[in-house]
Structures are given as structure tokens and as C-alpha cells.
Amino acid sequence: MKKILLLVLAVSSVVCVSCSNDDDSVSPEKAIEGIWSAGSYHFVRYRDGEKVSESKSTFDENNVLEMRFREDGSFVHYYRENGGEDEGSYTGTYTIDGDEIILLYNSGGSDQELVRAQYTISKRILTTVTDEVSSQGGSLYREVTTTEYDKM
């Protein structure tokens, strides 16, 4: 579940960005197809409108996050952390709706998790933004994650 949350945060970074493509002749569905390797992410958490934490990180050969979007509308989310000590993948389906990617993760059995993220594609860079709001203990929390992927 922790990995799905990390994925949700990474994909969430897609939620606040509009879709643009340098080649307008390519449909958004075609532009997103392929393997995208995360280069960096930026996470900000707010409580009741005040920033309470922020982190930035880059990915390398020891910490990998990849998204593979297939032509048939399916995807694979692959991760490797701590030099390969923690590794796995998630699968699901996706659709494009304007400037938003809608991911439906297969969480096992009949469970599925829906993630919405806005995105842009510029040259060979996919930027995603997720923006999630929750309440806990009488406080309102907002988590915004921006992730940049390079097309492989």
C-alpha cells in the first residue's frame, strides 16, 4: 500500500499541469505511449493552508520509478528502491481526458484505486502533478507532488 501511495503522489504531480505537445499532429493518447523514467519529484504538504513539509529528490540507478503506457490503454508502474532491496510493479488501465490522465490501478482481487493527474508533455519530458486533499483529526491536509519523467 505504501508503494501505491508513492505512485499516487508521483502521478498526482500530473494533476496540476495542462497537456501540451510540441507536435500537435500527435494525439495525446499517442504522445503518452512508451516508457517514461522519473528523474525528479517535488512533494509539498500543507495543513490548514500552511506548508508543513517539503521534499525534493532525484531518481538514479538505485532508486527507479518508471511508467509504461501501452497503446491498448494499459500501464505498468515499476519501482526499485534502496539499490533493489525493495522492488515491484503495479498494473492497470488509463485514459486521457483533456489535460488529465486517469489511472485505474489493480490493487489485487477486485480492489482498484483511481488516480487522476494533470500532465504536460514537452519534447521528451512528461510532467505530472497530483493534488490530494484529506482531513484528519480536525485538520485539512493537502499534498501536491510534481514528478518529471524522461521518455526512454
Side-chain angles (χ1 to χ4, degrees):
M1 193 54 120
K2 177 183 171 189
K3 297 304 171 197
I4 289 179
L5 180 57
L6 178 60
L7 173 63
V8 168
L9 294 175
V11 173
S12 297
S13 58
V14 175
V15 172
C16 294
V17 183
S18 65
C19 179
S20 69
N21 188 334
D22 291 329
D23 182 359
D24 291 336
S25 66
V26 176
S27 71
E29 291 80 7
K30 285 290 183 197
I32 197 79
E33 288 175 13
I35 301 172
W36 298 87
S37 179
S40 66
Y41 79 91
H42 179 206
F43 172 80
V44 182
R45 186 171 201 211
Y46 301 89
R47 182 179 57 225
D48 299 325
E50 299 290 325
K51 186 189 300 184
V52 294
S53 65
E54 179 175 19
S55 64
K56 295 180 181 181
S57 185
T58 57
F59 293 91
D60 58 25
E61 63 276 353
N62 294 312
N63 296 291
V64 175
L65 173 63
E66 291 178 359
M67 295 294 292
R68 177 184 303 239
F69 295 99
R70 296 184 173 136
E71 183 178 7
D72 67 359
S74 66
F75 73 87
V76 176
H77 161 220
Y78 168 77
Y79 67 90
R80 182 177 66 239
E81 298 175 341
N82 303 318
E85 290 178 25
D86 192 12
E87 170 173 41
S89 64
Y90 298 98
T91 61
T93 58
Y94 73 94
T95 55
I96 303 292
D97 184 12
D99 64 352
E100 188 174 53
I101 301 173
I102 302 166
L103 302 166
L104 189 58
Y105 280 86
N106 299 322
S107 299
S110 62
D111 294 336
Q112 294 183 317
E113 184 172 343
L114 182 73
V115 175
R116 294 177 174 269
Q118 288 187 316
Y119 75 102
T120 59
I121 297 175
S122 180
K123 301 188 183 189
R124 299 182 60 81
I125 304 291
L126 167 66
T127 303
T128 64
V129 178
T130 57
D131 191 342
E132 297 185 329
V133 177
S134 63
S135 61
Q136 184 179 38
S139 291
L140 185 65
Y141 290 90
R142 179 176 176 218
E143 297 176 339
V144 180
T145 305
T146 303
T147 306
E148 284 194 354
Y149 298 84
D150 297 308
K151 191 152 194 179
M152 298 180 72

